[in-house]
Amino acid sequence: MRPEHPIVLITGASSGFGEAMARLLASQGCHLALGARRVERVQALADELQKAHGVKVFAGAVDTRHTASVDTFVAEAAAELGGLHVLIANAGLASGTYKMWETPDEDLEAMMRTNVEGVVKTVRAGLPHLRKAGWGHVFFIGSTAGHQPYEGGSVYCASKFGVKAMAHSLRLELNGEQIRVTSVDPGMAETEFSNVRLKDGAKAAAVYQGVKPLSAFDVAECVRWCLMLPDHVNIDEILVKCVDQASAYKLHRRS
Ligand code: NDP
Ligand code: 8X3
């Protein structure tokens, strides 16, 4: 049965989508477990949201590339909050815009270990708590890159095609249980994503030049909507882009 105040675990809550989801879901009365490597950021956010909304917020350091780190974060969060109902496997990144044959191991491993392995580790650790509660929702944060590959994105696109495959498989595996599975797949959104990818503030700003991209709150709103729908309704996938972006290759720049 749906809890009055769902307990939601979010990885990658120190910026961008994860932070916006935390803000929006706290305002809806959800209790939260917030994780990222920059623990000081999630701790400050937790303090702020607890004060503003009177919800319980657990903040922890987690590096989703490492099993022990994920297992510890999830176990501590569930113990502190009294269980978990919703998992949002959001932590992820693109690193570089290399042609496939130029991709350094460091970037290859960062993307595959975070975007694919980290998602498996998060779901694997969290799912027993959803099953114990008998009510749950797993969110994957995919991307348009998991629908349309583009040059310079072979590994990132592969990782997001992987996310899409995992969401499909998990939905099949959980059929018969009251655990919904949704993949939210955004196009370009202005967060720290391009700074991380390009490692250059001016180049990152140029990505959004003349465009009104999605905001992190637009994406958070997609998650909120799926979560608040009646229990028998499962939104499998939301493919969401700003109106200026028709595809990876067709972007209208207003100026
Ligand atoms: P941000 O860079 O703003 O946020 C990424 C978050 O992931 C940060 O909180 C970061 O925290 C966390 N993170 C990265 N690596 C790890 C790790 N190893 N362990 C734990 N946390 C980690 O980008 P977005 O908010 O845009 O990205 C969130 C998700 O959305 C990603 O999966 C991304 O691929 C996806 N996405 C982004 C789009 C965009 O255009 N912005 C579009 C479509 C999908 P910290 O560094 O503190 O660990
Ligand atoms: C982020 C969107 O177009 O940079 O996943 O791949 S894109």
Side-chain angles (χ1 to χ4, degrees):
M1 199 177 124
R2 177 185 291 253
E4 198 182 342
H5 298 282
I7 306 170
V8 182
L9 180 139
I10 306 173
T11 62
S14 61
S15 74
F17 299 165
E19 178 185 341
M21 290 168 199
R23 290 184 180 283
L24 187 59
L25 296 178
S27 76
Q28 305 290 299
C30 295
H31 302 303
L32 300 173
L34 306 180
R37 291 168 299 178
R38 290 171 292 180
V39 68
E40 66 293 342
R41 285 203 187 191
V42 282
Q43 187 61 63
L45 181 62
D47 294 344
E48 180 192 330
L49 296 179
Q50 279 181 147
K51 251 188 230 143
H53 303 291
V55 292
K56 290 189 279 182
V57 188
F58 171 83
V62 66
D63 186 332
T64 59
R65 293 170 301 178
H66 300 289
T67 299
S69 175
V70 176
D71 288 351
T72 302
F73 169 65
V74 172
E76 287 180 358
E80 183 79 21
L81 298 169
L84 295 172
H85 301 110
V86 180
L87 306 174
I88 307 181
N90 164 70
L93 79 166
S95 193
T97 54
Y98 305 102
K99 293 193 168 57
M100 196 186 339
W101 60 88
E102 292 169 346
T103 310
D105 272 350
E106 193 187 336
D107 302 86
L108 168 64
E109 286 167 14
M111 288 185 271
M112 295 310 285
R113 288 186 64 196
T114 312
N115 300 358
V116 178
E117 295 180 25
V119 169
V120 176
K121 292 173 199 285
T122 302
V123 173
R124 189 174 62 193
L127 202 52
H129 298 284
L130 277 56
R131 284 190 151 138
K132 193 170 166 203
W135 185 93
H137 202 145
V138 179
F139 284 93
F140 292 80
I141 305 302
S143 169
T144 47
H147 294 255
Q148 182 189 23
Y150 52 85
E151 292 145 281
S154 56
V155 175
Y156 181 68
C157 294
S159 75
K160 291 299 184 180
F161 269 79
V163 169
K164 185 162 66 161
M166 289 191 287
H168 279 234
S169 293
L170 186 70
R171 195 174 305 110
L172 291 166
E173 290 161 2
L174 290 176
N175 184 243
E177 301 184 49
Q178 183 56 56
I179 300 179
R180 298 182 290 182
V181 178
T182 298
S183 186
V184 175
D185 300 352
M188 66 187 308
E190 195 163 6
T191 61
E192 294 181 10
F193 177 85
S194 291
N195 290 285
V196 171
R197 180 176 219 170
L198 304 172
K199 299 169 186 73
D200 178 318
K203 284 187 185 158
V207 171
Y208 311 106
Q209 178 67 45
V211 176
K212 185 167 171 51
L214 294 176
S215 73
F217 283 94
D218 298 326
V219 177
E221 174 57 20
C222 293
V223 169
R224 186 204 64 77
W225 179 70
C226 294
L227 182 59
M228 298 306 167
L229 285 168
D231 288 352
H232 67 288
V233 181
N234 189 88
I235 303 297
D236 288 10
E237 190 173 276
I238 293 189
L239 183 58
V240 54
K241 306 195 291 325
C242 67
V243 71
D244 288 337
Q245 184 179 27
S247 87
Y249 285 102
K250 192 160 177 64
L251 186 65
H252 171 65
R253 294 198 190 269
R254 294 161 189 239
S255 57

